[in-house]
Amino acid sequence: METERPIDCVVAGEANVDLILRDVPSLEWNKEKTFAGFDLILGGSSAITAFNLAKLGAAVSFVGVIGLDALGDFVQRRLATASIDLSYMKRVNGERTGITIWHSDRKGKRAGLTYPGTIPLLQANQVKRELLVRSRHLHVGHYFLLEKIHEQAPRLFRTAKELGLTTSLDCNYDPKEIWNSGIRDVLRYVDIFFPNETEAKRLTGSRSAQSAAKELGAMASVVVVKLGGKGALAYTEGKTIREAARKVHVVDTTGAGDSFNAGYLARFLTGGSVSQCMGAGISAASRCVTRAGGTAAFE
């Protein structure tokens, strides 16, 4: 008898808060200045992907760690509004929920500072076998920040594959600039890898996104490189597929890549081809940037 799989996607990774400061002037020590406005929103690559994927119609379960604090309350309430299963999300004493403070100036330049807090505390054994057997797909976001998961990540992905799940991974930027942390051992069990252009080049030392995707494609089944305003490209089975960006009015690019993941996976879970999934990813990313923060456009 076939095992029932009521969960479309398990998303494991970081959930935190983003504080977005707008029109920030140049900071100077010992001086106080004013800025135009701010937004306090759900942050974290994994959490944004989970939220938007759920809003696109998938049944999602989220696995992560947040603090027993006001920011943790905010994160939990926000994820709950998307009807995400939070049965496997852990809350802990003694460590604060992570926060990223994004600064943007009037010219559109952005910079961020992250207090990791509970972000690195997720361990692979929190993704329970009992959860995987009820699920169709496993996605892990921001691999490089999840330090406690690195050693056991290959086993987690291998177990998911053995149980019949498809898998995906987003590494995000490596703040330690090591660009390894065992990720190549994980990619052997990854069906869809979602780096952006900078990440793909840093992982491989390649000069172009296409050559980086080809090299990474020797490990993961499908490599999708997000190119920002230039769209995206995918490499699979010796072929490169490109998808152009949409022309939209850009308000804020926070979460655009995570929204691309959500759009791609939503179409993938309904049997879409790589080309169709790319189009859905671009549409979701284009939708995201029309509002401030990674999830506002998906309300």
Side-chain angles (χ1 to χ4, degrees), residues 27 69 79 92 94 114 125 160 162 213-214 224-225 229 244 270-271 275 278:
L27 300 180
D69 54 16
L79 289 171
V92 296
T114 293
N125 62 13
E162 289 171 350
K214 184 176 181 180
V224 182
V225 181
T270 59
S275 180
M278 293 272 286

Side-chain angles (χ1 to χ4, degrees), residues 18-20 41-44 48 52 100 102-104 110 250-259 285 288-296 298:
D18 279 353
L19 175 60
I20 300 177
I41 58 174
L42 178 67
I48 292 171
N52 294 347
T100 297
W102 290 103
H103 304 69
S104 64
R110 298 172 74 243
V250 177
V251 173
D252 177 30
T253 59
T254 302
D258 312 316
S259 300
C288 172
V289 301
T290 62
R291 298 283 299 278
T295 60
F298 291 81

Side-chain angles (χ1 to χ4, degrees), residues 11 14 42-58 60-62 74-84 86 258-259 262-263 287 294-299:
V11 177
E14 88 288 24
L42 178 67
S45 170
S46 309
I48 292 171
T49 295
F51 186 99
N52 294 347
L53 180 57
K55 285 292 188 177
L56 290 170
V60 177
S61 181
F62 184 80
F74 176 89
V75 168
Q76 182 167 313
R77 286 196 303 269
R78 191 77 180 108
L79 289 171
T81 65
S83 299
I84 294 171
L86 302 177
D258 312 316
S259 300
R287 178 177 171 180
T295 60
F298 291 81
E299 294 293 346

